[in-house]
Amino acid sequence: MRVLKQSAVLAVTMAAALMSSTAWADNTSPIGVWKNIDDATGKPRAIIRITESNGILQGKVEKVFLAPNESPTCKKCEGALKDAPVVGLVILRGLKKDGADYTGGEILDPDSGKVYSSKVSLTDGGKKLNVRGFIGVSLLGRSQIWVRQD
């Protein structure tokens, strides 16, 4: 009887360990929730959730950290995005895995309303995401570091 109790305890412990390990973030993929850190001020700007569908990544704003004089809408965006709320806005789209990076995408800067080519790469063991927006070639652009939140 004692062996059965010990076996049951071991089985429950192993099941709990397996379940909790699958709940941890997959640090080998950008899929998850990220805090966008402003490259100029070093302050948090937004929380973005990156999802994947058919091998293509997209990032949607879930929360913004606004300064007192900032607008919660995309004032400088054009077309259907003009004056759209920044929360809920898809700002990152079209990224596909390319070796260790994800390339071929676009990123929208809600502050300027401009859309740039984009690529992302994981750093720091998957805890940080280097997000690069650029025009033409990657050398002509700027990068931000996003910090994993999940």
Side-chain angles (χ1 to χ4, degrees):
M1 191 63 151
R2 184 175 183 191
V3 170
L4 287 175
K5 284 183 182 178
Q6 288 176 337
S7 295
V9 169
L10 179 62
V12 169
T13 302
M14 288 180 66
L18 287 173
M19 288 182 355
S20 67
S21 69
T22 58
W24 291 340
D26 176 8
N27 286 348
T28 62
S29 166
I31 296 169
V33 179
W34 297 88
K35 184 184 294 183
N36 168 336
I37 306 298
D38 187 284
D39 52 316
T41 66
K43 294 182 179 180
R45 296 285 295 150
I47 300 292
I48 298 113
R49 180 175 301 273
I50 296 179
T51 59
E52 181 268 332
S53 179
N54 297 321
I56 299 174
L57 300 181
Q58 79 167 22
K60 184 186 284 190
V61 177
E62 289 194 342
K63 180 178 180 179
V64 292
F65 305 102
L66 297 175
N69 62 342
E70 291 181 310
S71 173
T73 61
C74 195
K75 295 266 184 223
K76 295 184 179 178
C77 288
E78 297 178 358
L81 297 180
K82 176 79 174 149
D83 294 322
V86 175
V87 173
L89 201 60
V90 174
I91 62 165
L92 191 63
R93 68 177 78 234
L95 292 163
K96 299 175 192 164
K97 187 148 179 66
D98 181 13
D101 297 334
Y102 292 78
T103 62
E106 296 179 332
I107 189 164
L108 167 68
D109 178 355
D111 292 332
S112 70
K114 295 184 179 179
V115 177
Y116 301 94
S117 297
S118 182
K119 71 178 190 175
V120 302
S121 58
L122 291 162
T123 62
D124 196 18
K127 295 177 188 171
K128 294 181 180 175
L129 188 67
N130 184 8
V131 180
R132 181 111 179 121
F134 55 94
I135 298 172
V137 294
S138 181
L139 292 174
L140 303 174
R142 72 180 226 224
S143 294
Q144 290 185 333
I145 300 297
W146 295 4
V147 181
R148 189 179 294 276
Q149 298 299 292
D150 58 359

